[in-house]
Amino acid sequence: MNTGWLIGTALIAVIAAPLIGGWLKGIDRRLTARMQGRWGPPLLQPFYDVIKLFGKNPMVAGRTQTVFAYAFLGLTVTAVVFFALRQDLLMLLFILFFGSLCLPLGALSVKSPYSQLGGHRELLRFLAYEPILLLAAVPIALKVDGFSITAILEHGEPLLPGLWLTFIALLIALAMVMRKSPFDVSSSEHAHQELVGGVVTEYSGPYLALIELGHWYEMVLVLSVLGLFWAAGSLWWLSIIIALLGWLVILLVDNISARLTWSSMLRFAWGAGIGLIALNIVLIHLGWM
Amino acid sequence: MGIMNRARIKSPWLLHFDCGSCNGCDIEILAALTPFYDVERFGIVNMGNPKHADVLLVTGPANHRNQRVLSNLYEQMPEPRRVIVVGTCGCTGGVFHNCPNVLGGIDRVIPVDVYIPGCAARPEAIIDGVVLALESIGAHGK
Ligand code: SF4
């Protein structure tokens, strides 16, 4: 692999990821509306929203806040580039964590009580899903001998049959990453609920747009990690379908469930998520999977 | 029409503030957000946050008590922004015009772009009013 090829791949990933993410978000809003008996916005609505936000006059509550918005986007994009270049899975997850941590830090840097409360809840959400994402790398590494994405792709057969327990745990984590019900304590996704946006209450205009873009990258990245479960072998295209199916399940659950309190969220995430992964590791060691 | 104007017209986020109306017009505004009228078709989303909003929907007359809150909300909205008054009492004072505590229409406190009369204003008229405000953003480009 020469440098030109590497730069090309990274560029394509950086340009394509938000396009895919925004489009998925549009489908998400349309499907959600249909499930609620409404027609729903146009598919390009998320792009209109973000472009409009970039055109608003910047208004900030504090300088620090803006730094964290840029850092969130920058680090998430870095994680996507890491994925595109098939680097180390652990390293990628840590960069992603560091990026997501910028949101609560930004929220806690201003005095607004909504923002403060949102920041605290965001940290709790963190506590719930980060261990799942991190531990999910372990059974994968046991299967393919190493943490690099190249190793997963060069592994002769798909991972899903042996790691479906881990896959389910990752789905739970993905619902938390996307802040979907029942795991939406930190955001109250629509800004007319009790936290009026939570971590993003104090962000407006272009900075809100940066954060939204970051979320698109984040979502595409986690879906790509789901896709890795079928990426090896000849039927690699099935991985896209599997990732999208997982995403549809999360949308469905989002629309039929109410919000959990943070303590039940933590209990569920650690009990079910970490439990499934631990079971998977034990079964691998016993040679049953 | 540039892509920015198009995006602005396609994505108006609302902030709804009740200045002490009789609640009739508020119910009509919320009716517009239900599945029956489903304003999200036009990208309209109801925000509870002035910092995210593009359009301020006000119902009820301005009075000595709420004028401070009203101008505070208005100032927290980043430009370009539009103010729409829903209901006769917000336009002129309406049935409350001669109350001792009432200043009159909302335009006594903040600049208003669109007046939607009616006691109460119908959801169709409210949607029309929002569209009119958006056209003015499109025409001025700011
Ligand atoms: S215009 Fe009439 S219906 Fe509407 S808030 Fe005023 S008094 Fe109530």
Side-chain angles (χ1 to χ4, degrees):
Chain A
M1 276 189 269
N2 58 22
T3 329
W5 191 86
L6 288 179
I7 295 177
T9 320
L11 265 183
I12 290 176
V14 169
I15 295 169
L19 294 180
I20 300 173
W23 184 68
L24 282 177
K25 180 94 199 211
I27 299 179
D28 170 348
R29 282 178 68 175
R30 179 66 80 88
L31 278 179
T32 303
R34 292 295 166 88
M35 287 188 221
Q36 296 170 351
R38 294 185 288 120
W39 183 259
L43 285 181
L44 292 180
Q45 189 62 46
F47 295 102
Y48 293 135
D49 290 348
V50 163
I51 294 172
K52 173 204 73 180
L53 285 173
F54 273 121
K56 305 244 342 165
N57 273 5
M59 257 179 142
V60 291
R63 270 283 168 75
T64 336
Q65 197 196 14
T66 60
V67 176
F68 284 120
Y70 282 112
F72 169 63
L73 180 63
L75 286 164
T76 318
V77 173
T78 315
V80 170
V81 170
F82 256 64
F83 187 91
L85 299 184
R86 304 180 179 183
Q87 296 298 307
D88 192 277
L89 192 57
L90 269 188
M91 195 61 200
L92 178 154
L93 287 176
F94 277 116
I95 296 177
L96 188 65
F97 295 168
F98 190 19
S100 330
L101 199 57
C102 291
L103 283 185
L105 289 178
L108 292 172
S109 74
V110 288
K111 281 200 188 118
S112 148
Y114 295 116
S115 192
Q116 292 276 330
L117 196 57
H120 283 129
R121 288 201 192 168
E122 182 81 355
L123 288 174
L124 288 167
R125 185 183 70 100
F126 240 55
L127 195 63
Y129 81 82
E130 307 284 76
I132 305 182
L133 278 186
L134 205 52
L135 280 178
V138 176
I140 297 179
L142 284 177
K143 274 277 179 199
V144 302
D145 274 336
F147 285 105
S148 89
I149 295 174
T150 318
I152 299 175
L153 293 176
E154 282 166 5
H155 189 64
E157 58 199 67
L159 296 172
L160 192 59
L163 292 176
W164 57 273
L165 290 171
T166 309
F167 185 81
I168 297 174
L170 270 183
L171 271 188
I172 299 174
L174 177 60
M176 293 183 191
V177 170
M178 288 164 66
R179 298 180 180 75
K180 290 289 189 192
S181 281
F183 309 117
D184 52 349
V185 276
S186 67
S187 68
S188 355
E189 201 199 354
H190 298 293
H192 55 261
Q193 296 176 4
E194 88 281 16
L195 276 188
V196 282
V199 276
V200 294
T201 306
E202 290 298 317
Y203 284 103
S204 64
Y207 302 106
L208 190 61
L210 290 179
I211 292 179
E212 189 58 27
L213 269 183
H215 283 319
W216 295 356
Y217 277 107
E218 199 180 29
M219 185 170 77
V220 170
L221 182 61
V222 183
L223 283 178
S224 317
V225 172
L226 279 188
L228 277 185
F229 280 75
W230 205 280
S234 53
L235 292 173
W236 62 269
W237 50 270
L238 267 178
S239 64
I240 300 174
I241 297 177
I242 285 179
L244 288 180
L245 278 181
W247 177 75
L248 280 179
V249 170
I250 290 172
L251 282 194
L252 187 68
V253 173
D254 177 40
N255 276 293
I256 56 176
S257 58
R259 186 186 303 161
L260 288 177
T261 58
W262 68 267
S263 51
S264 7
M265 175 173 87
L266 214 56
R267 223 173 300 140
F268 182 75
W270 286 25
I274 298 182
L276 284 172
I277 294 176
L279 184 64
N280 209 159
I281 295 176
V282 171
L283 290 179
I284 290 175
H285 272 296
L286 292 177
W288 292 356
M289 267 186 149
Chain B
M1 189 165 53
I3 183 159
M4 182 59 77
N5 269 346
R6 193 177 156 74
R8 277 177 183 153
I9 292 174
K10 288 270 191 182
S11 155
W13 290 355
L14 304 184
L15 175 69
H16 167 205
F17 181 57
D18 176 353
C19 270
S21 70
C22 81
N23 240 286
C25 288
D26 303 285
I27 292 173
E28 300 302 325
I29 290 177
L30 294 176
L33 300 170
T34 57
F36 188 78
Y37 293 98
D38 184 27
V39 288
E40 206 195 355
R41 278 179 298 159
F42 312 115
I44 301 178
V45 183
N46 184 18
M47 290 287 164
N49 186 345
K51 299 197 174 183
H52 295 182
D54 308 296
V55 173
L56 176 61
L57 278 186
V58 193
T59 57
N63 62 34
H64 293 287
R65 203 86 185 110
N66 65 30
Q67 57 172 337
R68 216 176 46 235
V69 182
L70 186 61
S71 43
N72 186 1
L73 283 176
Y74 180 72
E75 258 135 45
Q76 286 191 55
M77 289 171 59
E79 301 252 16
R81 62 194 162 186
R82 288 294 180 271
V83 178
I84 302 179
V85 173
V86 181
T88 307
C89 67
C91 296
T92 60
V95 287
F96 305 113
H97 73 280
N98 53 3
C99 294
N101 61 331
V102 165
L103 289 173
I106 295 302
D107 49 11
R108 296 283 181 92
V109 183
I110 54 173
V112 173
D113 300 283
V114 177
Y115 298 87
I116 305 175
C119 184
R122 294 188 60 80
E124 290 91 342
I126 299 174
I127 297 175
D128 275 354
V130 174
V131 171
L132 200 64
L134 295 174
E135 278 170 1
S136 87
I137 294 187
H140 295 104
K142 67 181 174 70

